Amino acid sequence: MRLELGKIFIHDVVFGDQTKVEGGVLTINKAEMLEEIGGDEHIASIDIDIAKPGESVRITPVKDVIEPRVKVEGSGQIFPGLLNKVGTVGEGRTHALSGMAVVTTGKIVGFQEGIIDMIGEGAKYTPFSKLINVVITAEPVEDLKQHAHEKAVRMIGLKAARYLGEAGRNVEPNEVKTYETKPLLQQVQEYPDLPKVLYVYMLQTQGLLHDTYVYGVDAKQIVPTILYPTEIMDGAILSGNCVSACDKNPSYVHLNNGIVEELYEKHGKEINFLGVVITNENVYLMDKERSSNWTAKLCTYLGADAVIVSQEGFGNPDTDLIMNCKKIENEGIKTVIVTDEYAGRDGASQSLADADEKANAVVTGGNANQVVVLPKLDKVIGHLDFIDVIAGGFDGSLREDGSIEVEIQAITGATNETGYGYLTAKTF
């Protein structure tokens, strides 16, 4: 598949009479956008705010972050299987509004939703503080069940990203990059002397608001399979989970997966990037064994010389991560794992819930138990009354003076396990 990704650089976002992109400025007709994304019987009210880098604004509880995109040429439509039919994506041309995002918030769904600060100490830990964020506050009707609440807000966020993405359909991008992965036998023959590399992409699928969608299918229902990397860049995988904010993969991260982009950068130069194996993170041992067996089998069948495995979440999924690593290594394939750590506030505890001597090449996104103090900010979009109970918070996290003391696991994207962040660690 061959995908042209055109990035339209957005330098400012304002409200106005017509939704359009002109001169790097996105203008939004707020009333029209509310009409486009509204109408769900599960939602009592919706509002739209704009939060810009450097402003004294706190967004919380954050549910998802999504980059607006639009399919300009080729098969399928953006966000297939959820907003559109399940036509295969990953080829043709797609435009992205780069430098901005849609962020969804409102009353908390679960207990693992996060914080995005646009300034101050918290802004240092989240990559989304550098974006201009169009924030959708969607408040549920009374007594709405959690799964219905999550789905309603998820769909509103995707509709908002689709609506804004349409504004870039006929705009000439500032940058166009072409990404191509050929059918396997052709791909192998094109660079026969370069090491053949696969990316194993672990998706959060533990249920109970820990779900990820592949072409609209809850990925806990799948067995490991193969995707073209360009399908992921074109919206085939979307977040629907409330795993700890620091290491969940928001939809924005799926669309802009740094491992995929870096492997493409090295493709044809240092490596031969064959494609992506997606696999799920399971709750029960039998399911973990099945998925890790299939993952290792696919890596061998596809002829990989080396594999990168990234995780989403922590704790129970650490077992899936180590199983995948160990079984792929047992096939004689060099394996690197990408994770984060829960090493205690002093950094002295065991970092992962599982371990194996074959997991000897590790990239870390940082220690999620690190404690920070976030200053009181002038404006809050969303709600603060849950701060003491979210993952990373504790009794007294929300101080009387309005400041917040939390572990960085409460900050959206702080220790992202695809490397979409700022933290790491080194062994000395």
Side-chain angles (χ1 to χ4, degrees), residues 403-414:
S403 63
I404 298 172
E405 182 180 5
V406 288
E407 295 181 353
I408 62 172
Q409 68 170 301
I411 299 176
T412 300

Side-chain angles (χ1 to χ4, degrees), residues 26-42:
L26 170 64
T27 302
I28 302 172
N29 182 322
K30 185 175 180 178
E32 183 179 85
M33 183 170 172
L34 286 169
E35 179 72 19
E36 179 71 20
I37 67 178
D40 191 310
E41 64 182 2
H42 300 103

Side-chain angles (χ1 to χ4, degrees), residues 347-380:
S349 299
Q350 179 173 318
S351 296
L352 299 177
D354 199 358
D356 189 272
E357 61 183 6
K358 293 185 183 297
N360 57 10
V362 182
V363 177
T364 173
N367 178 20
N369 295 135
Q370 178 184 337
V371 176
V372 294
V373 176
L374 311 179
K376 179 182 179 180
L377 299 184
D378 295 338
K379 180 179 180 179
V380 174

